[in-house]
């Protein structure tokens, strides 16, 4: 068995530590905006794909780089949310 010296932890220079702290904070701040943008893209993809009888999910999937099956699921979810609930028909 070969013994190798363990690397010791160094103290970063103050400007390097500040840079890493600033960038980590920027990432944290933008995570929520990224999740909101992903949600909006998913809803739009489902809504647009649901407008077309055939080929909509494939066209949307090709445009955004997702699988056709994923977009088909989003379209089905959109249709389910926009259709009236059973028994809620006007008399």
């Amino acid at each position: 068995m070969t013994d190798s010296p363990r690397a010791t932890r160094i103290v970063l220079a103050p400007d390097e530590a500040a840079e890493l702290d600033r960038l980590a904070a920027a990432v944290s701040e933008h995570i929520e905006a990224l999740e909101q943008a992903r949600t909006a893209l998913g809803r739009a993809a489902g809504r647009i794909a649901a407008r077309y009888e055939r080929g909509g999910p494939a066209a949307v999937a090709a445009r955004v780089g997702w699988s056709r099956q994923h977009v088909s699921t989003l379209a089905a979810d959109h249709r389910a949310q926009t259709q009236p609930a059973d028994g809620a028909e006007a008399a």
Side-chain angles (χ1 to χ4, degrees), residues 12-29:
L12 297 174
D15 61 328
E16 293 170 332
E19 178 183 8
L20 293 174
D21 291 345
R22 179 180 53 79
L23 292 170
V27 167
S28 294
E29 290 175 13

Side-chain angles (χ1 to χ4, degrees), residues 7-87:
T8 58
R9 184 173 161 187
I10 62 166
V11 176
L12 297 174
D15 61 328
E16 293 170 332
E19 178 183 8
L20 293 174
D21 291 345
R22 179 180 53 79
L23 292 170
V27 167
S28 294
E29 290 175 13
H30 291 90
I31 286 174
E32 184 177 343
L34 177 59
E35 288 303 316
Q36 290 173 350
R38 283 183 180 157
T39 299
L41 178 59
R43 287 181 181 152
R47 175 180 41 81
I48 292 167
R51 289 184 54 207
Y52 298 94
E53 189 76 23
R54 303 185 95 198
V60 171
R63 185 66 182 192
V64 298
W66 293 343
S67 72
R68 185 193 53 76
Q69 184 174 1
H70 179 66
V71 176
S72 292
T73 301
L74 294 171
D77 184 54
H78 174 77
R79 287 184 195 106
Q81 290 180 12
T82 58
Q83 293 187 1
D86 291 340

